[in-house]
Amino acid sequence: MVKYEGKVVIALQVNGEAHEVAVRPSDLLLDVLREQLGLTAAKPGCLNGDCGACTIMLDGWPVKSCLMLAVEAEGHVVLTVEGLNGTAPIQKAFVDADAFQCGYCTSGFLMVCHALKTQNPLMPKENIIEEWLQSNLCRCTGYQEIRRAVRLMYEST
Amino acid sequence: MIPFNFIYYRPDSLQEAADIYSTLQSKGQKAVYFAGGSEIITMCRTGSIQPKAVIDIKNIPECGLLSLYNQKLQIGSVCTLNQISESKLFPLMRLACGRIADHTNQCRITLGGNLCGSIIYRETSLPLLLADAEITLYGPEGERTVPLRSVFYQCMQLKPGEMIVQVQIPVWALSARHYHIKKTANEKIDYPLVSVAAICKDSKLRLAFSGICSYPFRSEQMESALNQQTKSFEERVKQAAELLPEPVYADAEGSGEYRLFVFKNTLRQLLEDWDNGKI
Amino acid sequence: MNTAIGKSVRRKDAWDKVTGKALYTDDFPISGVLAARLLTSTCAHARILHIDISKALGIKGVKAVLTGADCPELFGPLLQDRPALARDVVRYAGEPVALVVATDKPTAERAVRLIKVDYEPLAVVLTPSQAMAEGTPLIHKQVNGYKKLLTDIYPEAGTNIASRYRMQKGNTAEAFQRCKVLVEQRFFLPPSAHLAMEVRTARAEISSDGSVLITASSQSPYSVRKQLSEAFLIPAGKIQVRVPYVGGGFGGKAPVMLEVLAFLASRSVGGKAVRLTIPREQDMASAPCRMGLEADLKVGVDENGLIQAADLTYLLDCGAYTDISPYMTKAIAMDCTGPYHIENLSCDAICVYTNHTYVTSFRGFSHESFTFCIERVLDMLASKCSLDPLEFRIRNAIRPGSLTPSQVECTASLTGDLTKCLNNIKQLAQWNGGNAVPIKENTVRAKGVACFWKTENPPTDAISGAMITFNPDGSMNLNTGVVEMGSNGQTHLAQILAEKLQVDADQVHVVTSVDTRTAPEHWKTVASLTEYMAGLAVVRAADDLLEQLRSNGSQVFGCPADEIEVANGRVFSKKNPEQFIAFKDIVQGYKSQQGESIGEPVLGRGGFMLKGLSMLDPQTGQGKTGPEWTLGAQVVEVEADLKAFSYRILNASTVIDVGKVINPESMRAMIAGGMAMGISLSSREAYIYDQDGIPRLPNLRTYKLMHIGQEPDYRVGFVETPEDNSPYGLRSFAEHGVIGIPAALGNALAAAFGRQLVILPLTPETIWRTPSEEHV
């Protein structure tokens, strides 16, 4: 059994690196990534699980890091946009498709798309793509460009 | 950011979990069982709850089961809605899970969390109520397995310190003809104005609802009304609407009158589809 | 040949934004930075009897707790009517009441929750018409006692009216007599949210010598400097404002609010660095939102289907404080009729206080609101005249020689070509007359059309500037005061510069963040004026560069400067183009093979100040507030379920006269984004207040934005009628995609359901509640 009280040091596996961080059990994964590890790609947008700007990948699935405690991530594999190293097909696809304007929601969308491809190596039907991407909000684009980016991601590999 | 701190427990067994709860309770300290955490984290952030401890039950093996066993489908309470959908074992449940929150949140929200949630819709209860599911609970007084409907009345009626271990669904329900429709104000990702789940058992429709009243329910009276083959769709729908267990729910998503309008339309559609063999 | 203009040049910020390297205000390290949090009002209108901060101060780690008593200054860009923290009275639910500074966010938030405020509720005023009624409580006791920062703000003593603008042209009373068809209609549009994905945030620190450093998510770094300087009597030069990437603004980050609070927070702790973060809930309820509007319109048409007269009253719900609302009200008056030839006009646009969250500029600067009303009326008129609504608009379209509401004479250069836009959209949207077409049982498809136009309302003396330096490889660095918040102004400015120098756009590097210490002042990144104002500054800076390059070239080649040509990154003599010097060898001055130094390093600068704008005549409204107009036409097609009252938006089209297409892909994306925003706000967005003026839980769970899957097919077409004074003839375009969409959607749905839809948002329940036309 695990019991964490006060401030504790936990081990997190983030972007292929092992990190030890001192956290309060009530600290959110989002805050720990941003404020302690300096991984600020994941953004606070609503802190309520509604906008998806803080989406990261946990064991290959998308997770909104504002609705997860950092202590829950122990023993799991966390991936953020920084861990994509600029080489994930979705990153180039987003550039080529003009799939962002202000860029604030971009990291979250990138991680959802990357997780989509991780779970569905072949392009799924449009309704599956929609279902996954409906977890995120973009206020600048009309979403058409983001759809195009998902297609480019699948076509590029 | 949660402004206060709490103690975090991650027990490995049901016994451990219940012991932690009892110990804290004896000290007058508030503890909550924690699975997907979405609702608890939100409520802690906004200040509507301030537990002294959270007991994360995701490491308890019994709570994570998702398999067919002994003519029943067992679904552990910490199975996520996404795991339940992806397992493809219970088609009606898959439809219901697919319309709760959004896909990413479905990867975190658990069956137990949805059933015990403070948000009134608790839409996973609908397929379970229709399927005569049983539920296994564990608490300081030990384990019990009972029909869900005996402990789910409007919401989960748990004893202090009790948690959901798993639900068991009889296999007939897994292959039964079924129907699920959720109507929202406008946006697909939203709370329901009306959610209707239906399952066919012995050539009769069973129906359960969420959104139309302030709690989810199955109504045998309404089922009888809607199963009257001799009457017109219109009459059956009208009668069923009169048998709602409480006045129609109203909030900013939809007024009572409008919800009722949507509810009747939805039932009419359901009956037509049923009649046309689309269920 | 164009080297950069007209090309779909990739965004300069692209790779920063897909790798997480683009830093926004709250992405900078926080070690050593204190945290500030706000306590906001739980009442919409109340007297503050007592604030008990003792418990909050008692928490370990709390450094300061501020209330209204700590800040007597009042703020506002036009009328100084707003305290930083409420003093004595709160005027909207969500108004900042206290500010806690502590070692970290959790501590600050815990302290906030321990502050106790005693309120004595006052009567609330929740609609503009209620605010205008006789005997209504006054939200500001002495509205005419506040300091005015510009002369054309007209608060009316003893009322809830913050300002009023009139347009009088021709003789409406006489003209209405001639009309064969009249429509009189009232409209109601609720306030809504900007909802930039990045919540507003600010940081502040003060050096021991009194220098102030503000980092903020702002569209107006220079206004932050100005307002802090004026309010706290700090020389402007001692204030440095930095704006990194901004995660969406849409007008909502033009006001100065959190910057002042962050400054107060830092000042209260001896100048230590403080970050003020607010949750989404406060971003929606406490920071300013989009305006609400009530309108009463009367428009008449003669037997030829020509509009003869319009009598228009618009009441803008500015909420508890004015911010920029008086100018949004003025903007309504300026363009109140839509882009139509109407000779007889009477318009009253009134800015009214209510106990709602105060409002500020929103994409479209009020045009998306009043356009809904006027364009719905146009459809009602067309229908009564049995005319195709699109043909009806062509018949009445504004044209060279027409007078705008403020009696500016239209020319092709000034306003563009609406008839061409309307004709082009027929094809783009496959216009078929605007009648509903049955698809299957209970299902129809219908299209709605709407036109828009917009001029700007900056201060008459707004300025911009550009500075250019060269790198040793001959590429350039472009530095302006333009904020990068998504609208891609930096890339477009780089294109303008590249074109002037006849080089590829990748030879221009941009400074994506703004620092008021190093970037020349650009009024604000608002009003879609980046490419116009900063563009003209860039053109001048480029001319400056060219002159210096020619001077260096003439010295190297030993010929007059006017024989020197600059193109393709080379300097050469027209007489002998084969012999050239590459930029890299001449931009830092030239060194001959013998080591002789020739010429000077090349540094470009250009400034631009708007000219020829005027205040409006208080009686007739005559005057000109913006340098140009942009207009266009939009169509929305819906598929409607007549039984369920639900609908799907199939496609949305815009044909806009942008003067010159400088970046086709970027401009298309910006217009499509505007359409998306228009669809979202008109189909689902509204602040819902209860009877006590408390907004329903303001978060993204209940306040729905459009998600993927609901978006239509966007179609964008361009018309190019050049504007004579702008860079390459371009017009402003960044906001405009939003403006006519609510109206086009309303018109499509009215056609589909046969109901006179006059309120927003157009939810299925709204449509279901609207009586069908047979019953009207």
Side-chain angles (χ1 to χ4, degrees), chain B residues 3 45 186-187 189 253 255, chain C residues 110 113 683-684 704 765:
Chain B
R45 178 179 71 83
N186 209 340
E187 189 58 56
I189 309 289
E253 310 277 349
S255 65
Chain C
R110 275 204 308 282
R113 293 178 191 183
S683 63
R684 62 204 73 198
K704 288 293 174 188
E765 179 165 358

Side-chain angles (χ1 to χ4, degrees), chain B residues 1-3 44-47 119 185-191 252-255 257-258 261 265 272, chain C residues 37 105-106 109-110 113 281 643-645 683-684 688 696 701 704-707 710 764-765 768-769:
Chain B
M1 174 265 303
I2 295 173
C44 288
R45 178 179 71 83
T46 56
I119 298 166
N186 209 340
E187 189 58 56
K188 186 178 159 200
I189 309 289
D190 202 352
Y191 296 131
E253 310 277 349
S255 65
E257 300 148 278
Y258 181 65
F261 167 76
N265 266 351
E272 275 170 31
Chain C
R37 302 286 283 186
K105 268 195 300 187
E109 186 62 30
R110 275 204 308 282
R113 293 178 191 183
E281 290 83 352
K643 212 165 126 191
F645 292 90
S683 63
R684 62 204 73 198
I688 300 172
R696 176 195 186 211
R701 184 76 51 85
K704 288 293 174 188
L705 298 183
M706 182 170 66
H707 289 72
Q710 319 255 314
E765 179 165 358
W768 175 74
R769 284 191 175 282

Side-chain angles (χ1 to χ4, degrees), chain C residues 24 219 227 528:
Chain C
Y24 300 78
Q219 297 174 242
Q227 289 201 26
S528 312

